[in-house]
């Protein structure tokens, strides 16, 4: 195992502390070996963190001191860059993400701009807008009118295990940039990247005590205290739609503001005028990081006229794919996060066979030579009907459903026939044609011909059951603020 210094303590009110519930174990999903222990918070610990965040927002100038916030964000950027390589190894060990992906969305891509962008936006954001002077008939007065943007308050940030650093740093960057304070609750499967962040904030930045708190807990209901507490103003959650609905329900009592980035069942439409090789190459995407991505394009729609040719291409691609050691730079498909998740994915594969889809490659059996670790074979289903379970439910594993379509209208209908609306892709020989089809898709994040509009300046989120609000961009900044209209005599 690479030499990595894990931080086992959480961070509450500026101090690195143990948990009142003791500790819990962090497991390497590629080897099933114990990485170490981490502080296990009680509900009382969580409420201490909430109280600290509330005090920091209400009683310090964090929410109004723009230049100070900017400086603190850049200090954190510098601290993270100094430990980039340790963080890389830590993510591979606790997330099971392939090394190659840490040079993209797991680490290097968000580290490039997730803090720098909001730090820059602090200077550029329209904190105050003038609506000009007007005669207001209800008062009979000439009136000056302004609109202020102010930070929302205390944010409960709840993070999943699949891209934990990426999601955390995007939430932290924008919440702190707007002047909010934060209680961060990482997933129990991947706590160390968050506790490292807590240590860096406590030891290497001027971020005041209570502005950021990191609470690790094995009990998911400790995290639910964020949703229930009237002292928390906004929940920023990335995870499953099932949990997102529970947050909406439980948060209703205190009228919680919500940002929810939830599940997906994204489709790639390969149009008849497309380069079929490029279109079928998109079919490999669900195998990246073992399919553990909410925006993974897990449905591939091929025109009936080119269907058999495309299936043969995909078959050859999947036969050449094997899951493997995430430490190997050539690995694309690593392990699933846990034995529970592996069992869930195997259940979906068995369901696909049971409902009549043709499993062309893969299957629920343990991959050859991988008796340790939570691995699943990359699995290719063809002749899938969009009403089947594997075409409708989010599997979160390396499973692709290939669906034939009759014409363009049929392709758009199939792509939109899902409760989700997170992402989608269109492959075409004509950019204008692809853009025209993209406009018809009910999804929030569309790629054309293999591109992805990823970045801290690009809003990310979905329609329908894929969530509420957007992460990143000025749209993401907006959701961490409240609007105040102000009028006074002209």
């Amino acid at each position: 195992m690479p030499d990595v210094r894990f931080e086992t303590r959480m961070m509450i009110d500026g101090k690195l502390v143990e948990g009142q519930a003791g500790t819990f174990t962090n497991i390497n999903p590629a080897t099933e070996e114990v990485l170490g222990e981490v502080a296990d918070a009680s509900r009382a610990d969580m409420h201490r963190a909430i109280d600290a965040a509330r005090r920091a927002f209400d009683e310090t100038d964090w929410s109004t001191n723009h230049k100070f916030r900017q400086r603190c964000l850049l200090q954190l950027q510098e601290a993270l860059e100094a430990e980039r390589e340790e963080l890389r190894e830590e993510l591979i060990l606790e997330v099971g993400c392939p090394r190659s992906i840490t040079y993209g969305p797991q680490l290097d891509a968000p580290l490039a701009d997730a803090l720098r962008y909001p730090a820059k936006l602090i200077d550029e954001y329209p904190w105050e807008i003038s609506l000009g002077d007007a005669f207001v008939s209800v008062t009979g007065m000439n009136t000056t009118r302004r609109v202020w943007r102010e930070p929302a308050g205390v944010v409960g940030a709840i993070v999943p295990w699949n891209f934990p650093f990426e999601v955390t740093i995007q939430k932290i960057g924008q919440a702190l940039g707007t002047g909010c304070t934060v209680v961060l609750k990482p997933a129990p499967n991947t706590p160390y990247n968050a506790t490292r962040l807590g240590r860096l904030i406590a030891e290497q930045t001027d971020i005041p005590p209570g502005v950021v708190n990191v609470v690790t807990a094995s009990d998911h209901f400790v995290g639910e205290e964020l949703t229930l507490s009237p002292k928390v103003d906004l929940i920023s959650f990335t995870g499953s739609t099932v949990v997102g609905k529970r947050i909406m329900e439980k948060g209703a009592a205190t009228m919680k503001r919500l940002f929810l980035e939830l599940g997906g069942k994204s489709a790639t439409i390969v149009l008849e005028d497309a380069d079929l090789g490029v279109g079928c190459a998109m079919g490999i995407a669900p195998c990246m990081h073992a399919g553990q991505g909410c925006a993974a394009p897990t449905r591939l729609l091929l025109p009936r006229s080119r269907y058999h040719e495309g299936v043969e291409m995909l078959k050859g691609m999947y036969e050449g794919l094997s899951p493997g050691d995430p430490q190997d730079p050539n690995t694309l498909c690593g392990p699933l996060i846990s034995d529970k998740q592996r069992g869930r994915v195997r259940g979906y594969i068995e369901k696909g066979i049971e409902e009549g889809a043709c499993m062309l490659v893969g299957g629920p059996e343990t991959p050859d030579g991988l008796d340790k670790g939570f691995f699943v074979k990359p699995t290719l289903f063809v002749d899938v009907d969009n009403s089947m379970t594997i075409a409708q439910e989010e599997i979160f594993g390396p499973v692709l459903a290939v669906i034939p379509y009759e014409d363009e209208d049929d392709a758009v209908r199939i792509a939109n026939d899902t409760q989700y609306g997170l992402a989608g892709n269109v492959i075409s020989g004509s950019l204008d044609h692809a853009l025209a089809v993209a406009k018809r898709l009910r999804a929030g994040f569309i790629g054309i011909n293999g591109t992805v509009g990823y970045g801290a300046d690009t809003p990310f989120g979905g329609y329908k059951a894929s969530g509420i609000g957007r992460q990143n961009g000025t749209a993401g900044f907006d959701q961490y603020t409240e609007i105040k209209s102000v009028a006074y005599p002209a």
Side-chain angles (χ1 to χ4, degrees):
M1 184 174 76
D3 184 21
V4 180
R5 178 179 47 140
F6 300 125
E7 176 55 64
T8 63
R9 297 164 293 177
M10 38 184 200
M11 198 261 284
I12 296 177
D13 204 11
K15 297 181 176 64
L16 299 173
V17 298
E18 305 297 337
Q20 288 187 356
T23 64
F24 65 95
T25 304
N26 195 7
I27 300 292
N28 182 334
T31 65
E32 303 182 45
E33 295 174 356
V34 173
L35 294 173
E37 299 296 306
V38 67
D40 198 1
S42 66
R43 283 176 167 84
D45 287 324
M46 177 59 81
H47 283 285
R48 286 196 299 118
I50 292 170
D51 287 344
R54 186 77 262 168
R55 285 195 306 271
F57 186 80
D58 292 340
E59 299 176 13
T60 75
D61 70 346
W62 177 260
S63 66
T64 57
N65 194 333
H66 292 193
K67 289 299 180 184
F68 179 55
R69 297 203 306 264
Q70 193 173 57
R71 186 176 87 232
C72 288
L73 282 171
L74 295 178
Q75 286 175 336
L76 182 56
Q77 176 76 36
E78 185 177 350
L80 284 165
E81 286 179 352
E83 296 193 7
R84 180 196 299 257
E85 295 311 315
E86 272 199 50
L87 182 52
R88 188 185 315 281
E89 300 304 327
E90 186 170 70
L91 288 167
I92 296 167
L93 290 169
E94 72 171 343
V95 183
C97 57
R99 178 173 296 278
S100 59
I101 298 169
T102 68
Y103 294 100
Q106 281 285 4
L107 176 59
D108 286 358
L111 187 54
D113 59 7
L115 296 179
R116 288 192 180 100
Y117 174 76
K120 176 172 175 282
L121 200 55
I122 289 171
D123 287 336
E124 301 172 355
Y125 189 70
W127 298 104
E128 183 173 316
I129 299 172
S130 173
L131 299 180
D133 295 347
F135 178 78
V136 179
S137 59
V138 295
T139 61
M141 297 174 65
N142 289 322
T143 303
T144 296
R145 301 156 308 146
R146 297 186 181 278
V147 177
W148 297 345
R149 286 275 187 176
E150 299 179 341
V154 176
V155 173
I158 305 173
V159 175
W161 42 257
N162 58 329
F163 285 82
F165 175 77
E166 190 270 345
V167 175
T168 294
I169 206 66
Q170 304 287 7
K171 291 184 187 299
I172 291 284
Q174 294 215 322
L176 298 186
T178 53
C180 295
T181 59
V182 179
V183 179
L184 172 66
K185 170 61 175 66
N189 296 98
T190 53
Y192 283 151
N193 65 95
T195 54
R196 176 182 296 272
L197 184 70
R199 174 176 58 77
L200 292 176
I201 289 171
E203 296 179 349
Q204 298 191 36
T205 77
D206 295 325
I207 295 173
V211 168
V212 180
N213 304 271
V214 179
V215 181
T216 51
S218 58
D219 182 353
H220 290 283
F221 288 106
V222 169
E224 189 165 84
E225 295 299 310
L226 291 166
T227 303
L228 299 174
S229 173
K231 297 177 183 179
V232 176
D233 299 290
L234 185 151
I235 296 293
S236 180
F237 170 75
T238 299
S240 73
T241 295
V242 170
V243 176
K245 289 178 178 179
R246 182 179 177 91
I247 288 172
M248 289 187 76
E249 177 188 351
K250 297 296 182 180
T254 53
M255 293 297 292
K256 282 287 185 290
R257 304 297 188 264
L258 298 174
F259 163 59
L260 304 175
E261 194 272 285
L262 307 177
K265 195 65 186 177
S266 304
T268 297
I269 298 177
V270 182
L271 296 171
E272 288 201 68
D273 62 358
D275 181 321
L276 194 61
V278 172
C280 289
M282 288 293 295
I284 300 300
C287 300
M288 184 188 79
H289 189 26
Q292 297 170 117
C294 53
T298 53
R299 293 180 296 154
L300 184 68
L301 279 53
L302 295 177
R304 183 76 70 180
S305 61
R306 309 184 70 185
Y307 182 72
H308 293 295
E309 181 186 358
V311 165
E312 284 304 306
M313 284 187 184
L314 289 161
K315 182 174 181 287
M317 292 175 185
Y318 268 71
E319 286 175 340
L321 271 176
S322 298
D325 182 358
Q327 298 286 356
D328 185 338
N330 296 314
T331 294
L332 176 70
C333 182
L336 297 167
I337 192 65
S338 65
D339 185 49
K340 178 182 177 181
Q341 181 63 14
R342 176 174 59 180
R344 182 176 180 273
V345 173
R346 285 172 168 172
Y348 274 111
I349 294 171
E350 290 164 356
K351 188 73 170 176
I353 297 167
E354 178 187 319
E355 291 185 356
C358 175
M359 191 189 73
L360 208 56
V361 181
E365 303 82 13
T366 300
D368 292 341
L370 292 172
D371 295 330
K372 286 287 187 181
F374 308 123
F375 294 93
V376 170
K377 294 179 181 179
T379 299
L380 174 65
F381 280 103
V382 301
D383 301 342
V384 177
D385 186 283
N386 199 56
S387 65
M388 292 178 178
T389 302
I390 59 170
Q392 286 295 315
E393 296 186 12
E394 186 177 44
I395 298 173
F396 236 58
V399 180
L400 178 67
V402 184
I403 304 170
Y405 69 85
E406 302 301 330
D407 56 27
E408 194 170 294
D409 288 343
D410 190 38
V412 171
R413 178 193 64 77
I414 292 170
N416 288 336
D417 181 19
T418 170
Q419 67 168 320
Y420 299 109
L422 185 55
N425 296 277
V426 183
I427 313 296
S428 172
S430 162
L431 178 58
D432 287 343
H433 188 190
L435 291 171
V437 172
K439 288 180 179 179
R440 300 175 65 188
L441 297 180
R442 298 281 295 165
F445 195 72
I446 307 296
I448 305 294
N449 290 338
T451 56
V452 177
Y454 176 87
D457 62 348
T458 305
F460 178 76
Y463 292 21
K464 300 186 285 185
S466 288
I468 298 171
R470 294 294 182 270
Q471 182 161 286
N472 294 349
T474 55
F477 221 65
D478 286 346
Q479 74 196 1
Y480 290 102
T481 67
E482 290 279 15
I483 296 173
K484 182 180 288 183
S485 298
V486 182
Y488 50 88

